Amino acid sequence: MPTSFLGSALRGTFFFIFGLWWSVRYPLKYLRRKTNAENQPSYGLRRVEVFEGAVKAFFALAGILVEQFVPSGPHLMLYSPKTHSWTDLTHWHYTTMYLFFLLSGIVDVVSHSPLKLPLGLDRLSLSVALFMEGLLFCFRNYGDAALDQHLHSLLAFAIFAGALCVLLEVFLRDHIILECLRTSTFLLQGSWLWQIGFVLSPPWGGPGWDQTDSSNFSFLTMCFCWHYAGALITLAANAAVSRWYVSPSKPKPLWETQRCVTSYENRASAWSRGCWKGGGRLGAQHPS
């Protein structure tokens, strides 16, 4: 079954949203921890982890339901006794991928619950989910669609790079370099899945790119590098904004400055009225 634009775009959005969120969250967490010299995660950070895991599990569950129960989906039927063949393995392929991300989201939530699971289990479950995703894409049946295989082979680079980063985070917790590298791979996955949708199934209709043109292979490999450059630029821009946000010397907003000036003027006026009244009373008590 050929790749659909909508399915590829939805999967890309899933990864891009997480990458965009992490590109703000991790630099902000690092800068705040560096400024406040606090190495222990606060209760607020644990709540963020739980919320993040819940969102991941929700998206993954929604993906499973969509893959299974769209009109052309298998509707939970893996093998057809009528045709004596497997039923739409492409949908089952993506269902399996979402299943591991669903498990990863559940582990995220449980890891920060009172059960107190071993530290790093949440990162390990995410690493396993990414490895399974890469495995499924590597051994997918592409048939004669050489360009399709090339696009997903490039995607596998981003997947396995992210899986390796998360695996290292099991042992190097809260390492900002690994967190940023993982974030960049998620941004790359998200944007590249959108690119795959545009190449193989253009949203405006018509056939996809020529599967036999060798120049398409060269251009898309170069385009993959551009996507990663864009991911790094996005990460750097959000990190710069986070740096400005936590900077102690940043200028105050205009409304806050105006409020301070108004408050000062009110206090000065009240003090002046109090002094005048006090002087009048003193003059009445001590006439000349």
Side-chain angles (χ1 to χ4, degrees), residues 1-285:
M1 181 180 178
T3 301
S4 67
F5 174 80
L6 183 59
S8 184
L10 289 176
R11 286 184 286 273
T13 302
F14 169 79
F15 286 103
F16 196 81
I17 286 176
F18 270 90
L20 200 61
W21 160 246
W22 288 339
S23 69
V24 175
R25 181 194 164 198
Y26 287 129
L28 198 60
K29 184 182 73 171
Y30 170 75
L31 292 169
R32 281 178 170 173
R33 187 170 64 240
K34 186 177 179 181
T35 302
N36 300 327
E38 294 177 355
N39 295 323
Q40 297 297 327
S42 64
Y43 178 68
L45 289 178
R46 288 196 296 270
R47 287 194 300 175
V48 170
E49 294 278 0
V50 171
F51 174 75
E52 188 177 294
V55 171
K56 187 195 302 180
F58 173 77
F59 281 170
L61 181 60
I64 291 174
L65 296 177
V66 169
E67 292 292 340
Q68 287 293 320
F69 296 105
V70 292
S72 60
H75 295 79
L76 300 179
M77 181 180 292
L78 181 59
Y79 187 81
S80 175
K82 295 181 180 179
T83 60
H84 300 285
S85 62
W86 303 109
T87 304
D88 202 351
L89 289 182
T90 301
H91 285 290
W92 280 104
H93 165 101
Y94 290 117
T95 299
T96 305
M97 182 189 79
Y98 284 126
L99 174 63
F100 280 93
F101 282 102
L102 173 62
L103 295 176
S104 174
I106 294 173
V107 172
D108 286 351
V109 174
V110 177
S111 295
H112 298 279
S113 69
L115 294 178
K116 296 182 180 180
L117 296 180
L119 185 65
L121 192 61
D122 53 344
R123 298 294 189 266
L124 181 61
S125 64
L126 179 57
S127 178
V128 170
L130 289 169
F131 273 118
M132 293 300 105
E133 180 194 3
L135 184 69
L136 290 167
F137 278 124
C138 283
F139 293 97
R140 179 181 172 182
N141 182 18
Y142 296 98
D144 297 330
L147 187 61
D148 190 356
Q149 183 176 4
H150 181 69
L151 288 167
H152 286 90
S153 297
L154 293 173
L155 178 64
F157 278 105
I159 295 171
F160 286 124
L164 181 60
C165 287
V166 184
L167 183 61
L168 291 175
E169 286 184 63
V170 176
F171 310 101
L172 300 172
R173 188 79 176 188
D174 295 329
H175 196 289
I176 185 60
I177 301 299
L178 292 177
E179 289 173 340
C180 288
L181 189 56
R182 185 229 307 172
T183 299
S184 68
T185 61
F186 266 66
L187 289 170
L188 177 59
Q189 272 199 72
S191 64
W192 192 246
L193 281 166
W194 273 84
Q195 181 71 60
I196 290 174
F198 276 105
V199 171
L200 299 179
S201 301
W204 49 82
W209 292 22
D210 188 357
Q211 297 277 346
T212 60
D213 189 353
S214 60
S215 61
N216 286 337
F217 290 77
S218 300
F219 172 77
L220 288 171
T221 303
M222 181 174 59
C223 189
F224 181 78
C225 300
W226 293 346
H227 275 258
Y228 191 57
L232 293 177
I233 291 172
T234 302
L235 177 59
N238 287 340
V241 172
S242 301
R243 173 70 178 178
W244 174 85
Y245 181 77
V246 300
S247 176
S249 60
K250 68 177 181 180
K252 292 184 178 181
L254 181 60
W255 63 268
E256 187 175 345
T257 304
Q258 183 65 32
R259 186 180 63 180
C260 293
V261 171
T262 304
S263 177
Y264 173 78
E265 291 177 348
N266 291 338
R267 288 198 303 268
S269 177
W271 180 80
S272 299
R273 289 195 302 269
C275 290
W276 182 84
K277 290 180 180 179
R281 288 195 297 269
L282 288 174
Q285 293 174 1

